Amino acid sequence: MKGIISIQSHVVYGHAGNSSAVFPMQRMGFEVWPIHTVQFSNHTQYQQGWKGKAFSADDISELISGIANIEQLKNCQALLSGYQGSADQCLAVLDAVRQVKAQNPDAIYVCDPVMGDPEKGCIVPQGTTEYLVNDVMPSADVIVPNQFELAQFTNMEITDLESAVMACQKALSRGPKMVLVKHLHSISDDKFTMMLATKSGCFIAQRPHLKFAKQPVGVGDLISALFTAGLLKGWSPEQAFEHANNASYAVLKETQQRDEWELQTIAAQEELVAPTERFPITKV
């Protein structure tokens, strides 16, 4: 039984981290083996707060060791990582990647380098960002940063399309083979913009910018999961990119229509496989 190891945060209620990523990958046809970096009652944007705890790096390593013990790391097709709550967790993820690739050299590592965004600033502990930038992201086959995280990785200011392309090209020179920028907020005010950069060039995906009273959480985790599953299906990076844009839009549209804050991933599950609306990507 082949599968995807997903090392991310987890919420009991709602959809963020693994709670946003696992089901879409399953719905697209993959076994998913989730490992949680934290387990909270709900995501952290609720004004009432949240309950729960973070897990140690040793907890991650112990679970990877257990999977290795039953000789299943060879069947891991990809390792996807999201929120890491400490520098030690970053090191545990890198060690997991090394073990997976030792057993299956064809496995890919997809890193969603969760740091923050322009509105929230850095949302991870001091030290974690440095490990992500200097050690984790350069080791990944694919990185899925937002604009803020891409700027941190490349030490470049991103203000327009040209600087975004230059930043993606610099990111590719640092190790990753693909860069999917899950949100470029400096490109357009009325359209949600993403960018894909590979050796074949840079591509833009745009879709309507939906309005919410409170912005849903977990959209980036959803995009990373959809893109990972698309690549493992054997689609080209461009096909996987377009699908991730279309399917994530469908989930958001369902969420808006139901006047909800939490992503309506289950209600929109058919759209995860075959999105109704399509927005063609363009090369830049």
Side-chain angles (χ1 to χ4, degrees), residues 42-150:
N42 49 274
H43 69 65
T44 59
Q45 299 305 303
Y46 280 85
Q47 64 178 11
Q48 301 97 322
W50 68 93
K51 302 291 184 181
K53 67 177 183 178
F55 296 109
S56 72
D58 289 341
D59 290 319
I60 297 173
S61 298
E62 185 176 8
L63 293 173
I64 292 293
S65 176
I67 298 172
N69 191 50
I70 59 172
E71 300 181 353
Q72 289 303 310
L73 289 184
K74 65 185 178 184
N75 290 321
C76 178
Q77 297 172 280
L79 191 150
L80 169 62
S81 70
Y83 175 81
Q84 307 300 309
S86 69
D88 286 344
Q89 284 188 341
C90 291
L91 294 175
V93 168
L94 284 177
D95 185 60
V97 171
R98 283 191 288 268
Q99 291 188 60
V100 167
K101 287 185 176 258
Q103 294 296 316
N104 179 13
D106 293 329
I108 62 172
Y109 172 37
V110 181
C111 172
D112 184 347
V114 180
M115 301 175 200
D117 59 34
E119 287 77 31
K120 300 173 187 174
C122 189
I123 60 171
V124 297
Q126 189 68 27
T128 304
T129 296
E130 286 75 11
Y131 271 101
L132 286 170
V133 168
N134 297 322
D135 300 284
V136 180
M137 295 173 75
S139 301
D141 298 293
V142 183
I143 59 172
V144 192
N146 60 24
Q147 181 173 315
F148 173 78
E149 293 153 355
L150 178 62

Side-chain angles (χ1 to χ4, degrees), residues 224-242:
S224 299
L226 290 166
F227 187 64
T228 300
L231 292 176
L232 292 184
K233 277 184 169 291
W235 297 345
S236 69
E238 295 83 7
Q239 288 173 312
F241 178 51
E242 185 171 311

Side-chain angles (χ1 to χ4, degrees), residues 12-265:
V12 176
Y13 176 83
H15 297 281
N18 267 335
S19 304
S20 180
V22 171
F23 178 72
M25 291 189 287
Q26 291 173 328
R27 192 63 181 77
M28 288 181 68
F30 295 94
E31 293 286 345
V32 185
W33 311 333
I35 296 176
H36 306 325
T37 55
V38 305
Q39 179 163 273
F40 292 160
S41 56
N42 49 274
H43 69 65
T44 59
Q45 299 305 303
Y46 280 85
Q47 64 178 11
Q48 301 97 322
W50 68 93
K51 302 291 184 181
K53 67 177 183 178
F55 296 109
S56 72
D58 289 341
D59 290 319
I60 297 173
S61 298
E62 185 176 8
L63 293 173
I64 292 293
S65 176
I67 298 172
N69 191 50
I70 59 172
E71 300 181 353
Q72 289 303 310
L73 289 184
K74 65 185 178 184
N75 290 321
C76 178
Q77 297 172 280
L79 191 150
L80 169 62
S81 70
Y83 175 81
Q84 307 300 309
S86 69
D88 286 344
Q89 284 188 341
C90 291
L91 294 175
V93 168
L94 284 177
D95 185 60
V97 171
R98 283 191 288 268
Q99 291 188 60
V100 167
K101 287 185 176 258
Q103 294 296 316
N104 179 13
D106 293 329
I108 62 172
Y109 172 37
V110 181
C111 172
D112 184 347
V114 180
M115 301 175 200
D117 59 34
E119 287 77 31
K120 300 173 187 174
C122 189
I123 60 171
V124 297
Q126 189 68 27
T128 304
T129 296
E130 286 75 11
Y131 271 101
L132 286 170
V133 168
N134 297 322
D135 300 284
V136 180
M137 295 173 75
S139 301
D141 298 293
V142 183
I143 59 172
V144 192
N146 60 24
Q147 181 173 315
F148 173 78
E149 293 153 355
L150 178 62
Q152 292 287 106
F153 183 50
T154 59
N155 196 28
M156 292 178 63
E157 184 179 5
I158 302 169
T159 57
D160 53 21
L161 183 59
E162 182 180 3
S163 56
V165 170
M166 292 176 63
C168 283
Q169 290 171 339
K170 183 173 180 180
L172 289 173
S173 74
R174 293 201 58 196
K177 301 176 185 68
M178 298 179 209
V179 179
L180 192 169
V181 190
K182 58 198 173 195
H183 186 197
L184 276 171
H185 62 267
S186 291
I187 305 302
S188 173
D189 291 330
D190 62 335
K191 291 183 179 179
F192 186 93
T193 305
M194 300 198 298
M195 178 177 283
L196 173 70
T198 70
K199 63 181 180 181
S200 299
C202 290
F203 302 83
I204 283 274
Q206 291 187 310
R207 55 173 173 76
H209 214 319
L210 299 172
K211 303 293 185 182
F212 291 91
K214 290 188 291 187
Q215 197 65 30
V217 173
V219 181
D221 308 316
L222 172 63
I223 292 168
S224 299
L226 290 166
F227 187 64
T228 300
L231 292 176
L232 292 184
K233 277 184 169 291
W235 297 345
S236 69
E238 295 83 7
Q239 288 173 312
F241 178 51
E242 185 171 311
H243 177 82
N245 182 53
N246 295 337
S248 59
Y249 172 74
V251 173
L252 281 164
K253 189 172 182 179
E254 183 74 25
T255 304
Q256 184 197 55
Q257 289 175 343
R258 290 174 179 254
D259 195 25
E260 292 282 355
W261 185 20
E262 294 284 359
L263 289 174
Q264 296 298 293
T265 311

